[in-house]
Amino acid sequence: MRTLISSAFVSLDGVVEAPGGESGYRNAGWTGKDMEFLPEAYGIKGREQEEASAMLLGRVSYEAFSAVWPDMEDFAQYKAMPKYVVSTTLTEESLVDNWGETAILRSLDEVAALKETEGGPIIMHGSASLNRALSDAGLIDRYHLLVFPLLLGAGKRLFSGTDKDAQKLKLVEHEAYANGMQLNVFDVVR
């Protein structure tokens, strides 16, 4: 079974919305505002490209990332990697043609079936709504969380507010950086 990894920039209070500056959110771009840039804090991002064999995205994140990532040198390894977009509304005609092989999955059952195929880890970036649904369905195996020392209050959260049984996580890697950011890598305990 393939490992599904959720990778997220998250505020200390759990907000993941608009970290890079997406419009329509008052705290847009919060990862770069008043935050000293330390390259070592983002080292996990390079490792993710090297270790993953496929990328999973929700429609909104696909539309945002596919507009810029195909031409960015920092994300070159993702270009050739197969991509899967979970959406009930996206059409084949909406897919970009300069970002490699992309397939549309229409349900969480199709994500579960993808995990049963041969291959290496599947990385999921952004995709807040999809992350919540996959987490609630027990389909995420690992979390790569870059936690920023900010309290944002409002905004989309990484995890849902669903009343469910506790899900235990095992901390397998952690690092704290001089700018207050933290890397936390958790495996889901089954």
Side-chain angles (χ1 to χ4, degrees):
M1 178 169 356
R2 298 172 83 171
T3 301
L4 178 56
I5 302 166
S6 170
S7 178
F9 292 155
V10 60
S11 69
L12 191 59
D13 58 349
V15 175
V16 293
E17 185 171 17
E22 300 79 356
S23 63
Y25 177 61
R26 76 179 170 96
N27 286 318
W30 51 268
T31 59
K33 289 181 181 174
D34 302 319
M35 182 65 55
E36 177 188 1
F37 178 77
L38 297 177
E40 61 270 24
Y42 296 90
I44 187 79
K45 296 299 163 193
R47 283 186 14 221
E48 288 171 348
Q49 288 185 74
E50 293 168 8
E51 295 171 3
S53 65
M55 184 187 300
L56 181 71
L57 298 162
R59 180 192 52 81
V60 173
S61 291
Y62 173 78
E63 289 172 344
F65 296 157
S66 68
V68 293
W69 280 18
D71 298 321
M72 292 181 71
E73 190 175 315
D74 287 347
F75 301 110
Q77 290 171 281
Y78 286 137
K79 191 166 186 167
M81 192 178 292
K83 283 160 274 311
Y84 300 90
V85 184
V86 182
S87 174
T88 58
T89 60
L90 193 68
T91 63
E92 293 289 331
E93 296 77 31
S94 302
L95 299 175
V96 299
D97 59 6
N98 65 336
W99 205 23
E101 175 189 345
T102 304
I104 300 171
L105 305 179
R106 299 292 182 194
S107 68
L108 295 185
D109 288 338
E110 290 186 29
V111 175
L114 173 64
K115 286 185 59 175
E116 295 294 330
T117 63
E118 292 294 320
I122 303 164
I123 191 80
M124 178 176 58
H125 292 285
S127 309
S129 297
L130 179 59
N131 189 92
R132 290 189 298 272
L134 292 170
S135 178
D136 287 349
L139 293 173
I140 296 176
D141 302 296
R142 174 174 275 198
Y143 293 94
H144 290 181
L145 305 178
L146 270 177
V147 182
F148 287 72
L150 299 167
L151 300 175
L152 297 174
K156 290 181 185 173
R157 307 277 176 195
L158 183 62
F159 300 103
S160 78
T162 303
D163 185 12
K164 60 182 180 179
D165 291 339
Q167 185 175 50
K168 186 169 170 125
L169 305 175
K170 178 182 179 187
L171 183 66
V172 295
E173 181 180 349
H174 62 92
E175 188 77 37
Y177 303 100
N179 63 359
M181 289 173 58
Q182 297 176 22
L183 167 66
N184 293 299
V185 176
F186 294 100
D187 281 343
V188 175
V189 176
R190 305 232 190 263

